[in-house]
Amino acid sequence: MKSHVQAAVIGGGVVGASVLYHLAKAGWRDVALIERSELTSGSTWHAAGGMHTINGDPNVAKLQQYTIELYKEIEEISGQSCGVHLTGGLMLAGTAERWDWLKMVNARGRYLGMKLDMVSVDEAAKLFPLMDKRHFVGALYDPIEGHVDPWGVTVAYAKSAQLKGAEIYRHTRVVDLKQRSDGSWDVITDKGTIHAQHVVNAGGLWAREVGRMVGLELPILAMEHQYIISEEIPEVAASPSEMLHVVDFEGEIYMRQEAKGMLMGTYERHGKPWSERQTPWDFGHELLASDLDRIAPSLEVGFRHFPAIEKAGIRKVINGPFTFAPDGNPLIGPIRGLRNFWVACGVMAGFSQAGGVGLALAGWMVDGDPGFDVWAMDVARFGDWATLAYTNAKVRENYSRRFRIRFPNEELPAARPLRTTPIYDRLKDRNAVFGDYWGLEHALWFAPKGSEAVEQTTFRRSNAHPSVAEECHAVRNDVGLLEISNYGKFEVTGPGAESWLMQTMANRMPAEGRIVLTPMLNHRGKLLGDFTIAKLEAERFFIVGIYAAENHYLRWFERHPWPADVAVRACATDYVGLSLAGPKSRDLLQGLVRDDLSTAAFPFLSFRRMDVGMIPAMVGRISFTGDLGYEIWVRPDWQRALYDLLVEAGKPFGLKNFGARALHSLRLEKSFGTWAREYRPIYGPYEAGLDRFIDVRKNDFVGRSAAVEERDRGPERRLVTFTVEADGADAIGDEPVWHEGEVVGWTTSGGYAHSVQKSVALGYVPAARAGATSGFEIEIIGQRRRAMRIDEPLFDPKGLRMRA
Ligand SMILES: Cc1cc2nc3c(=O)[nH]c(=O)nc-3n(C[C@H](O)[C@H](O)[C@H](O)COP(=O)(O)OP(=O)(O)OC[C@H]3O[C@@H](n4cnc5c(N)ncnc54)[C@H](O)[C@@H]3O)c2cc1C
């Protein structure tokens, strides 16, 4: 065993082996994998080995494509077969809603370069004769699906890594981790200590326990998972070609051929967590006791839909545990506050994802950037509110919904309400329908008095539509009141605050009492965030961004350490906020403050402390609605009083509460982008139309030279706005954009812009097409809808309202 390595990867499952391979491939030869037993000794060895490219997040789908393509490469390098069976796959729809969903998956596949195909029930039955056609309405065919040999894949990664110089220490357990003052790690094993520059936790079933060695409670939980293997099925034995990989959503089952029978697995509604608090270290190559009763309801549906499997009978039942994060996506990346400590865990679909996870993590470690948009997998997407019990509730929910449709307007109920602000009950009394944002409840819209505050889930316009229209009307004509506590807030203070911010952000900093909008770029000049920054006092900046990205921002800030005379603090809910927006908002607020709110005295983008009634607040003249508006920030103990005051004072002005759905509609008609939709690390600021917020003349800042290159080269694509001839269903994001009969781009957001009464979509198209206005179509639920690209925002294109 070496005494020093550049990176120690803990865990020899498929994920750890892939990370090791990708580190070695990226040029880090002095790397070692440490495995407490044999390779594959966690979840990996008893996996069904199924693989597919389709994923709800297009960026994850791309990494899944990469994983599947990689098998050829590691087979060639290692000489080890991965046992790839690329059979193709069918996703069967049994309901009209599922059929719609498949159409949307198919459409998304178009711009990802997938060759998916919608097929009729008859065609599906030709491809997969075991199905009883009566239960289905159609299917989606994917040629890039199948299964692999889990052991073969893991060994192929491991051998390929070894051939590039990596080492593997089997039967060696990491028992503790101690950080040295220089940020490197002592990896203490039962065979001695290795000093490592970097540590990767790829501990799979034990990733939680490895995390605890460094004081980290990772939000992952293992669930028991069962599949059956049937006896020989004559139709399968007689088939000249291998059976397809099949998902039957209504039965909540997946299937593939195993020998001359079928393997059938299920994600049952009442799943069972395994080792909820602590995974035993002595768990090895053993299976859990089978419990057919638990999966009986799914099996019954499966047997009805595929009668030959029931006829053949069950030969074997496999029950094994594997881990999930609360939303079912992997947890990868560096951990804030723990230098040189990385995670690659919670990977529930190792044979579709481990290659992409290894590539992204190795890129992050070697180049300082994953090289992809990994937002959906980033460990920073959970905060410390994701406790053990929260994770337990959410993982169970996610498991039970594995094959259920998640509608774009659907809010999941588990672990809620969890975090609430002081006005939660006030909003509830007004019939708010709530959503969960980073564990915090916020109002989505307000249902009519006397009706049930529930939104019906749908791909089309929902029962919220008329209420949201009224909320938008109030903002554009009178005044609306929105809670904004779920925005992310930071304070940067101290003598060096301004100079540190000037290095970190792409725009110059505001004068005292003013606000600027600024993107934050990474070294490749891509968008890492967008903020409004207010200078409250000479050495005090108040920053507003996206709450869900709080950890992600903090981690980035830590990489660009601030000097000793600067303090950076995430405020979380230390400040909560309310926003007034609409043409009457000034008159309303003026009645409550002594300060002069006239445009001459308090123009657009002003920020200052003022008392609102008796309540000490910070007030900014800014609103994401694009209207005249104010954001008012207070300590939580003042929020109820502020809310009551504004509601009472707002009566003569026709004040109406509005929620996130109306805000979305209002920002679309202003063509305002937002983080994780229009602004992501795959886009540059010039592509995203943020040119006016980049100041390349001020001083050097992170990403400046790459941004200048983008500017001089000219962006490859551009963010544009469309009006869409929709019919009851609007774009939601991730639809393909067609131009003159060809798929050329994708949407990032969409919806109905109520005040201008138009269906709107934002999206990216190649720069060469961005000048065209006609010839565009956006594919919404399988229908190509005519779309016009527009040059200016639909509402108040000159921005006169917000400056009024
Ligand atoms: C029944 C079943 C069916 C499945 N079917 C599929 C499928 O069809 N398709 C699919 O893609 N996925 C499937 N999976 C999921 C798949 O198994 C996982 O995605 C994958 O195995 C996760 O790999 P991993 O490397 O993260 O974790 P693991 O396989 O758990 O590996 C972790 C490794 O780390 C080692 N380790 C942990 N702590 C230490 C330590 N302190 N010191 C040294 N070594 C340590 C462990 O011994 C273990 O070998 C299935 C899982 C099960 C249980």
Side-chain angles (χ1 to χ4, degrees), residues 366-424:
V366 174
D367 303 329
D369 184 288
F372 299 92
D373 186 338
V374 294
W375 174 246
M377 305 199 284
D378 191 335
V379 62
R381 72 188 183 281
F382 293 102
D384 52 12
W385 44 270
T387 56
L388 194 70
Y390 169 91
T391 301
N392 193 302
K394 276 308 207 193
V395 168
R396 283 170 191 247
E397 178 184 63
N398 179 67
Y399 188 91
S400 75
R401 297 182 48 92
R402 170 90 174 103
F403 286 139
R404 277 198 269 168
I405 294 173
R406 171 89 192 256
F407 289 94
N409 66 338
E410 186 168 10
E411 292 287 326
L412 302 181
R416 294 183 54 208
L418 183 60
R419 300 167 61 218
T420 57
T421 60
I423 60 165
Y424 174 75

Side-chain angles (χ1 to χ4, degrees), residues 14 44 112 116 165 213 224 245 289 304 311 339 353 412 441 456 560 574 598 632 638 667 707 718 793:
V14 64
T44 300
L112 289 170
L116 310 176
M213 291 175 193
E224 292 193 11
H245 205 261
R304 217 167 40 244
K311 230 196 268 164
R339 256 175 87 197
Q353 296 179 334
L412 302 181
E441 296 293 320
Q456 284 141 23
H560 304 92
D574 291 353
S598 67
I632 309 170
W638 296 102
R667 69 113 179 153
R718 286 202 182 268

Side-chain angles (χ1 to χ4, degrees), residues 10-16 34-51 172-175 202-206 210 213 225-227 254 281 318-322 344-345 347-352:
I10 304 171
V14 64
V15 173
I34 307 169
E35 166 56 49
R36 77 190 169 109
S37 175
E38 287 296 340
L39 295 179
T40 78
S41 290
S43 299
T44 300
W45 72 275
H46 45 28
M51 58 177 186
T172 306
R173 179 155 86 85
V174 174
V175 292
L205 280 180
W206 294 266
V210 173
M213 291 175 193
H225 181 71
Q226 301 185 78
Y227 61 81
Y254 63 87
W281 285 109
I318 305 287
N319 184 9
F322 65 110
C345 56
V347 182
M348 56 102 19
F351 302 96
S352 304

Side-chain angles (χ1 to χ4, degrees), residues 542-612:
F542 184 70
I543 302 181
V544 175
I546 294 294
Y547 191 30
E550 185 181 277
N551 262 336
H552 163 85
Y553 294 150
L554 279 176
R555 192 180 58 193
W556 180 255
F557 293 161
E558 280 172 4
R559 272 185 54 186
H560 304 92
W562 44 90
D565 61 354
V566 177
V568 177
R569 186 175 82 88
C571 306
T573 42
D574 291 353
Y575 291 108
V576 290
L578 289 169
S579 170
L580 285 172
K584 297 182 184 163
S585 55
R586 176 169 32 221
D587 294 344
L588 192 170
L589 192 60
Q590 185 64 81
L592 302 172
V593 300
R594 278 168 299 147
D595 305 61
D596 178 1
L597 294 185
S598 67
T599 294
F602 196 64
F604 179 53
L605 298 181
S606 296
F607 192 86
R608 98 170 56 131
R609 287 187 206 280
M610 54 180 90
D611 292 347
V612 183

Side-chain angles (χ1 to χ4, degrees), residues 473-738:
H473 185 270
V475 173
R476 291 291 185 233
N477 294 286
D478 300 310
V479 53
L481 177 60
L482 171 80
E483 176 168 34
I484 51 171
S485 308
N486 61 335
Y487 293 5
K489 286 97 36 193
F490 296 89
E491 271 176 343
V492 179
T493 51
E498 179 149 350
S499 125
W500 180 75
L501 283 168
M502 290 279 272
Q503 299 292 321
T504 315
M505 303 288 168
N507 205 351
R508 61 177 62 244
M509 288 302 108
E512 200 168 319
R514 303 288 297 156
I515 298 172
V516 293
L517 280 73
T518 176
M520 180 167 76
L521 308 180
N522 64 18
H523 296 97
R524 294 184 302 120
K526 301 290 183 191
L527 292 169
L528 265 195
D530 67 310
F531 301 95
T532 56
I533 301 189
K535 187 170 183 181
L536 187 60
E537 290 154 14
E539 294 176 3
R540 178 171 293 271
F541 291 84
F542 184 70
I543 302 181
V544 175
I546 294 294
Y547 191 30
E550 185 181 277
N551 262 336
H552 163 85
Y553 294 150
L554 279 176
R555 192 180 58 193
W556 180 255
F557 293 161
E558 280 172 4
R559 272 185 54 186
H560 304 92
W562 44 90
D565 61 354
V566 177
V568 177
R569 186 175 82 88
C571 306
T573 42
D574 291 353
Y575 291 108
V576 290
L578 289 169
S579 170
L580 285 172
K584 297 182 184 163
S585 55
R586 176 169 32 221
D587 294 344
L588 192 170
L589 192 60
Q590 185 64 81
L592 302 172
V593 300
R594 278 168 299 147
D595 305 61
D596 178 1
L597 294 185
S598 67
T599 294
F602 196 64
F604 179 53
L605 298 181
S606 296
F607 192 86
R608 98 170 56 131
R609 287 187 206 280
M610 54 180 90
D611 292 347
V612 183
M614 288 185 270
I615 301 151
M618 295 185 290
V619 179
R621 199 186 137 180
I622 188 167
S623 166
F624 198 43
T625 62
D627 221 308
L628 173 66
Y630 302 86
E631 290 182 352
I632 309 170
W633 298 101
V634 295
R635 300 272 178 200
D637 41 358
W638 296 102
Q639 197 198 19
R640 282 164 78 95
L642 178 66
Y643 179 81
D644 292 346
L645 181 69
L646 294 175
V647 167
E648 191 53 37
K651 280 181 185 160
F653 297 96
L655 178 130
K656 195 169 173 59
N657 284 274
F658 70 107
R661 297 256 191 276
L663 185 65
H664 176 71
S665 168
L666 297 164
R667 69 113 179 153
L668 284 178
E669 62 193 25
K670 285 293 295 175
S671 298
F672 284 167
T674 190
W675 171 251
R677 302 303 323 173
E678 286 71 35
Y679 309 146
R680 302 186 68 128
I682 44 177
Y683 306 124
Y686 295 92
E687 291 178 327
L690 294 172
D691 325 18
R692 62 192 184 286
F693 305 118
I694 305 285
D695 188 342
V696 294
R697 288 160 308 159
K698 57 162 189 169
N699 57 293
D700 199 15
F701 57 87
V702 179
R704 182 184 176 280
S705 54
V708 168
E709 249 174 60
E710 187 202 345
R711 184 197 61 186
D712 295 346
R713 201 178 49 237
E716 273 172 40
R717 53 194 164 203
R718 286 202 182 268
L719 178 62
V720 294
T721 305
F722 298 100
T723 55
V724 189
E725 288 181 18
D727 180 20
D730 304 299
I732 51 173
D734 293 329
E735 288 91 0
V737 176
W738 295 72

Side-chain angles (χ1 to χ4, degrees), residues 188-338:
I188 302 159
T189 79
D190 53 5
K191 303 256 170 77
T193 296
I194 306 175
H195 177 223
Q197 220 57 43
H198 294 263
V199 167
V200 179
N201 174 3
L205 280 180
W206 294 266
R208 243 181 350 181
E209 284 65 28
V210 173
R212 285 173 190 158
M213 291 175 193
V214 297
L216 198 64
E217 191 61 51
L218 286 164
I220 40 179
L221 174 71
M223 297 290 289
E224 292 193 11
H225 181 71
Q226 301 185 78
Y227 61 81
I228 61 149
I229 296 171
S230 76
E231 296 287 359
E232 182 171 320
I233 300 173
E235 292 91 327
V236 176
S239 172
S241 55
E242 192 171 1
M243 290 285 137
L244 267 63
H245 205 261
V246 169
V247 174
D248 169 9
F249 291 99
E250 273 54 60
E252 306 193 313
I253 48 185
Y254 63 87
M255 273 173 294
R256 68 162 170 87
Q257 185 170 336
E258 173 72 27
K260 290 178 179 165
M262 291 297 290
L263 178 157
M264 187 195 255
T266 181
Y267 287 81
E268 67 275 19
R269 292 274 164 110
H270 302 288
K272 191 173 167 203
W274 179 75
S275 292
E276 289 172 89
R277 288 170 181 277
Q278 175 91 35
T279 306
W281 285 109
D282 58 0
F283 184 76
H285 271 243
E286 62 226 54
L287 289 171
L288 306 176
S290 62
D291 180 359
L292 277 181
D293 283 350
R294 208 169 63 235
I295 60 170
S298 298
L299 290 184
E300 277 164 25
V301 180
F303 290 157
R304 217 167 40 244
H305 290 182
F306 311 96
I309 300 179
E310 182 174 29
K311 230 196 268 164
I314 297 172
R315 176 164 64 87
K316 204 166 164 189
V317 183
I318 305 287
N319 184 9
F322 65 110
T323 53
F324 296 79
D327 59 4
N329 273 336
L331 294 177
I332 76 166
I335 298 285
R336 176 166 81 80
L338 279 178

